Amino acid sequence: MDRELAMEFVRVTEAAAIASGRWMGKGDKIAADQAAVDAMRQAFDDVCISGKVVIGEGEMDEAPMLYIGEVVGAGGVKVDIAVDPLEGTNLVAKGLPGAIAVLAIAPRGGLLHAPDMYMDKIAVGPKAAGKININAPVIDNLTAVAGALERSIEDLTVVILDRPRHADIIKQVRDAGARIKLIADGDVSPAINAAIEGTGVHMLLGTGGAPEGVIAAAAMKCLGGDMQGRLVPESDADIERARSMGITDINKVLTIDDLVSGDDAIFAATAITQGDLLNGVRYFGGGARTHSIVMRYKTGTVRFVDAIHKYEKKPMLIKR
């Protein structure tokens, strides 16, 4: 993949964020999501890739665009694409922090074709890479991460989705003495935060969407962090769907290299609402300002992009 493509992918997430951000706090998550999807799909038309969506908005009969299997781009290098035009639909609808427009790109075959089901996840930053074990008790992982970071367990902050299914994990983390940051939606941003020093986040734990797990893994790989996942099927149909997508061992612990393979990957995200790492979209007369992150595994480059977008200002109509 050409390194210049990284900035092209930022423009894609910027377009989705600007379109979706207009719906912040308006209580309509469907409209916010649709705005992001429409803008992202249109922006892909100008990118010189032959991209195949492997993680997207659903099957062809479920989504009119950015559906699994759709080919996007203006032609060029063949890549697999994982997209979430709006991660955190409820966050935007309610005006809450943490919503992002996000995508991950890898050479063809480089992204796990994760089925739309739950996945157990654990993610940590570079200093704790290789120290985690998703099968180990929570206390063992906390101890290992604390040791890698040269601090006590009481100094760790763990991000967990605020869901009833996580009651036991939450209790174990609290009993161990670590601090917890409960989040309402979206676990891609917290995974990134765990891999970047200064965010105050040291680990992600819990069960979330498998597609989001692959996207987060791309970011973790670019940042030198570590992540493990394990699919959590809820029915025989989930198991069959996983098998149809090439996953034969449903109980396999998926390493970061299983989730994102090969020697190249690009991750890009633009904040829609305010986050711990990125500022949300801010609008002004005649334009908007966005804050994005883009990274590439092959080069180890991580860029923060603070951009001003100007557009034609429509004349204000004044009723007399």
Side-chain angles (χ1 to χ4, degrees), residues 105-122:
I105 309 286
R108 191 62 54 85
L111 298 176
L112 179 73
H113 295 198
D116 189 8
M117 66 173 66
Y118 282 129
M119 175 187 283
D120 284 335
K121 308 172 191 177
I122 180 171

Side-chain angles (χ1 to χ4, degrees), residues 120-124 132 134 141 203-205 226-228:
D120 284 335
K121 308 172 191 177
I122 180 171
V124 293
I132 54 175
I134 199 170
N141 282 306
M203 182 188 294
L204 170 78
L205 278 178
D226 198 6
M227 183 172 177
Q228 292 180 4

